[in-house]
Amino acid sequence: MGEQKRASDAIADSASAGKLKSEAYFQEKDLWGFIHRSFTKSMGYTEEDIRKPVIGICNTFSELNKCHSHFNELVDYVKRGVWQAGGVPMEFPTISIGEPYVKPTTMLLRNLMAMDTEEMMKAHPIDGVVLIGGCDKTVPAQLMAAASANIPAIVLTGGPMLNGRLGGRSLGACTDCYGFTLEHKAGNITDEELAVAENAICRSDGHCMVMGTASTMASIAEAIGMALPGCAAIPAPDSRRRHMSENTGKQIVELVRHNIRPRDIMTREAIENAITVTMASGGSTNAIIHLVAISQRLGMKLPLETFDAISAKTPFILNLRPSGQYQMEEYFEAGGVPALMKELEPLLHGECLTVTGRTVSENLQHARTYLRDVIRTMEEPLDSQGGIAVLRGNLAPDGALIKQTAVSAHLKKHTGRAVVFESPADLNARIDDPELDVDENSVLVLKNAGPKGAPAMPEIGQIPIPQKLLKKGVRDMVRISDARISGTSYGALIVHAAPEAAVGGTLALVRDGDEIELDIAERRLVLRVSDEELAERRKSWKPPEPHYDRGYGLLFHERVLQANLGCDFDFLLPPELRKEYKERIED
């Protein structure tokens, strides 16, 4: 143990002295240097190889993650780029979390993936790392890890699927997944027709091809400066995705040579650029949680007011589903994120450094828009404000979110009586009960679906329309929860209500028949119940029993922060933020 500790100390001293981390492993003449060289050479690497910069390639391939099923091919092209640039690639795995399969929700495992990635980055003799992700929680987990480990890093996303096609119509996962199953539930399509749609909607490798969370986070990785320009929108099967992979491998070697690290790139101004792009894109509400978590790993608080202030001055100009008409394939043809950022350039911090080694403004010099109906100008936007609005009021004192660009016009200002479901299980049991006292003006309220209550805040905020209303033609209602929604969701969905019901937020006190007021323009979400009555109700409230009594689930329950604080674990924050948040954490 003493020898191993001295080796660890030597590695730390080497890094602080500005030497490559791998040099301390492979060029020392002591016992551990001998062991490192011997074991590495046994895998086919030569003496010449181990004197070059060592590049870790974080491969999150998994056959249990559809969005990552093609990553082994991308890794081969990354390795080619690393070799060409004079580095030595070494591939390593971390956990891989795919939305369609992981239960109860991938959000339970985002922090675990971030911890896994961070520790792998810090523990091994790598001088820089290529982080390959795609599905919703993988890219934010990798960016959180990069912020904490702070060794040279670059993100390579796997790309969106090609558009689904059926009967001459473009389909998008999972926006049309909701649509087909809703119409099937209403009795408008048969089992056979549903099966045909299942086979038509996902017709290539890649993640969801609408502006869902995966596409939003890929765009954020590019907008924040951690991915090469143009990376986000290239379809997964397109040969240019291979070219992007090779170029990413080349560029990480340059980042190592110039010692450009994530904290040099992910500054407060870069975070604001990412928010601007998200708002202009009609991006996923999940981006708010992830950007807050990434910012806090960097030691920066990111209040919800920042998102609302940027949304208010950022026009919605990207005509992509679920808020618009087109999908990622057309976005790529229109010029992708660089073209969108070029339109938004007056609103961006152009001086921010990126993984190219150049600034945002330098990267955008030759960007242009090729399909004007896909990427609008700021002078002729789809909407004058960005996609996401932050709501405040006694029902969500710490904020709630709504994707305002996906809300039916007649529900943007609405007052209705609450129909309350105490838990996801209660919702599933009663939502289609013919005797449920509900009409199209009601406000559906789901409790105990937040970080601690659900558990882990699953994407169930798109509360189903009751079947009896579906049959009457109702397709949207105001729905409120402390859950999340998929970025592919649409409708008047108020989510991330904080504090959540399970910790005694006002949401826990709502009863059937209470009036609830929504006014998106005024950013209001109000429960029309007096403070005195709420205080009386609180006397009889009891927190629900935890879902876990051991293991990682119990760790998550005990240490997860609320939605407005990014749902990270308290102990993963930098010490200065841990101290500041201590009072909230204990509450």
Side-chain angles (χ1 to χ4, degrees):
M1 290 296 293
E3 290 286 350
Q4 193 165 5
K5 184 177 187 305
R6 282 194 291 275
S8 298
D9 291 344
I11 290 165
D13 293 342
S14 174
S16 63
K19 294 170 62 179
L20 290 178
K21 185 179 178 183
S22 61
E23 291 182 30
Y25 276 80
F26 296 128
Q27 295 185 24
E28 294 298 324
K29 300 303 180 183
D30 61 4
L31 170 65
W32 283 100
F34 178 93
I35 291 172
H36 293 148
R37 290 188 297 275
S38 177
F39 277 59
T40 305
K41 289 177 182 178
S42 75
M43 295 186 289
Y45 296 96
T46 67
E47 184 72 30
E48 181 183 3
D49 291 336
I50 60 177
R51 292 183 178 276
K52 297 175 181 177
V54 177
I55 304 300
I57 302 175
C58 178
N59 183 6
T60 54
F61 162 81
S62 170
E63 290 181 345
L64 289 171
N65 186 345
K66 175 263 181 294
C67 305
H68 294 200
S69 62
H70 60 302
F71 278 14
N72 286 339
E73 181 189 27
L74 298 185
V75 167
D76 288 341
Y77 284 93
V78 173
K79 288 179 178 178
R80 179 189 292 182
V82 172
W83 284 117
Q84 289 175 356
V88 176
M90 289 188 171
E91 179 184 345
F92 68 92
T94 64
I95 63 170
S96 181
I97 45 180
E99 294 295 317
Y101 303 116
V102 173
K103 307 300 181 202
T105 168
T106 55
M107 194 63 185
L108 180 68
L109 301 177
R110 183 203 65 177
N111 295 346
L112 182 61
M113 183 178 178
M115 293 167 68
D116 182 5
T117 307
E118 176 187 349
E119 297 306 326
M120 291 290 281
M121 290 169 68
K122 293 192 299 189
H124 289 97
I126 54 177
D127 303 306
V129 63
V130 178
L131 300 166
I132 307 181
C135 200
D136 294 14
K137 308 305 177 297
T138 61
V139 174
Q142 290 173 332
L143 288 171
M144 291 162 68
S148 295
N150 200 36
I151 69 169
I154 190 169
V155 172
L156 172 67
T157 50
M161 288 182 273
L162 298 174
N163 292 344
R165 299 293 297 173
L166 182 61
R169 169 187 166 198
S170 284
L171 303 179
C174 257
T175 298
D176 285 310
C177 304
Y178 296 113
F180 280 116
T181 53
L182 183 147
E183 295 304 328
H184 180 260
K185 181 178 174 181
N188 295 330
I189 63 174
T190 65
D191 292 349
E192 292 75 16
E193 289 170 325
L194 189 68
V196 170
E198 289 170 4
N199 293 332
I201 199 165
C202 297
R203 65 186 187 97
S204 79
D205 291 332
H207 60 67
C208 292
M209 68 291 267
V210 300
M211 187 49 71
T213 305
S215 295
T216 300
M217 292 310 303
S219 300
I220 283 173
E222 192 174 327
I224 210 171
M226 287 294 292
L228 290 177
C231 181
I234 305 170
D238 193 300
S239 61
R240 287 163 286 192
R241 176 63 56 188
R242 298 168 181 165
H243 303 162
M244 178 60 68
S245 302
E246 183 175 306
N247 289 333
T248 299
K250 292 178 182 177
Q251 192 57 32
I252 185 59
V253 179
E254 292 304 310
L255 291 173
V256 170
R257 286 182 174 138
H258 293 90
N259 196 27
I260 298 175
R261 298 172 180 248
R263 293 185 191 178
D264 300 322
I265 294 169
M266 292 194 287
T267 61
R268 182 173 297 280
E269 291 75 19
I271 295 286
E272 291 179 358
N273 285 346
I275 297 171
T276 299
V277 167
T278 301
M279 295 304 174
S281 304
S284 170
T285 51
N286 285 310
I288 310 299
I289 283 180
H290 300 320
L291 280 167
V292 170
I294 293 164
S295 297
Q296 290 175 166
R297 292 293 188 97
L298 296 162
M300 299 183 292
K301 292 190 293 182
L302 186 58
L304 295 184
E305 284 75 14
T306 300
F307 293 93
D308 212 35
I310 292 175
S311 180
K313 67 181 182 181
T314 304
F316 169 43
I317 63 172
L318 183 60
N319 193 10
L320 257 60
R321 303 178 74 200
S323 299
Q325 180 180 356
Y326 300 103
Q327 301 187 145
M328 290 296 288
E329 196 172 334
E330 290 85 8
Y331 189 21
F332 172 59
E333 293 169 2
V337 174
L340 182 82
M341 293 180 72
K342 186 67 174 179
E343 301 294 339
L344 297 170
E345 194 167 10
L347 302 179
L348 300 176
H349 299 284
E351 74 284 359
C352 289
L353 182 67
T354 73
V355 290
T356 65
R358 300 186 296 273
T359 66
V360 168
S361 292
E362 289 170 333
N363 289 343
L364 296 179
Q365 283 182 358
H366 303 294
R368 57 170 292 193
T369 297
Y370 295 95
L371 297 175
R372 183 52 71 192
D373 195 38
V374 177
I375 303 174
R376 303 287 184 88
T377 65
M378 289 203 295
E379 292 72 31
E380 296 182 344
L382 293 157
D383 200 300
S384 61
Q385 292 190 350
I388 300 170
V390 179
L391 305 174
R392 296 277 186 180
N394 66 342
L395 189 50
D398 290 338
L401 305 180
I402 190 167
K403 186 185 283 190
Q404 59 180 336
T405 51
V407 176
S408 300
H410 71 285
L411 295 175
K412 292 188 174 184
K413 185 175 183 178
H414 181 80
T415 300
R417 61 181 183 84
V419 176
V420 178
F421 302 94
E422 294 295 330
S423 67
D426 182 34
L427 172 71
N428 293 335
R430 295 194 298 118
I431 189 65
D432 291 328
D433 185 345
E435 302 303 315
L436 184 68
D437 184 15
V438 65
D439 61 35
E440 64 270 21
N441 295 312
S442 300
V443 175
L444 305 180
V445 177
L446 172 61
K447 303 179 182 179
N448 295 308
K452 294 180 184 288
M457 206 178 178
E459 291 181 344
I460 55 175
Q462 187 157 1
I463 301 169
I465 305 293
Q467 189 173 38
K468 69 179 184 180
L469 297 182
L470 282 176
K471 292 180 177 179
K472 293 180 180 179
V474 177
R475 292 296 182 269
D476 198 6
M477 298 175 68
V478 175
R479 288 158 277 180
I480 301 171
S481 71
D482 44 14
R484 296 179 299 112
I485 51 172
S486 166
T488 65
S489 298
Y490 55 89
L493 310 173
I494 301 166
V495 290
H496 301 203
E500 65 175 306
V503 299
T506 309
L507 190 69
L509 309 179
V510 182
R511 294 180 179 175
D512 284 332
D514 289 347
E515 278 200 339
I516 295 176
E517 175 192 352
L518 165 67
D519 189 330
I520 296 178
E522 296 297 323
R523 303 299 197 256
R524 283 170 51 83
L525 181 62
V526 175
L527 177 66
R528 291 182 173 176
V529 174
S530 69
D531 292 344
E532 293 76 16
E533 171 61 19
L534 291 176
E536 192 62 30
R537 292 181 187 182
R538 188 171 295 282
K539 292 177 183 177
S540 60
W541 175 80
K542 294 181 180 179
E545 289 294 317
H547 290 268
Y548 299 98
D549 60 6
R550 61 168 298 281
Y552 175 76
L554 182 60
L555 173 69
F556 187 98
H557 178 84
E558 291 181 344
R559 307 306 291 268
V560 71
L561 298 168
Q562 288 293 290
N564 61 304
L565 297 179
C567 290
D568 203 356
F569 292 152
D570 54 9
F571 60 84
L572 294 177
L573 301 185
E576 62 272 20
L577 283 185
R578 283 207 307 273
K579 182 177 180 181
E580 186 169 341
Y581 289 165
K582 186 173 187 296
E583 196 171 303
R584 299 191 212 186
I585 293 166
E586 290 175 347
D587 290 343

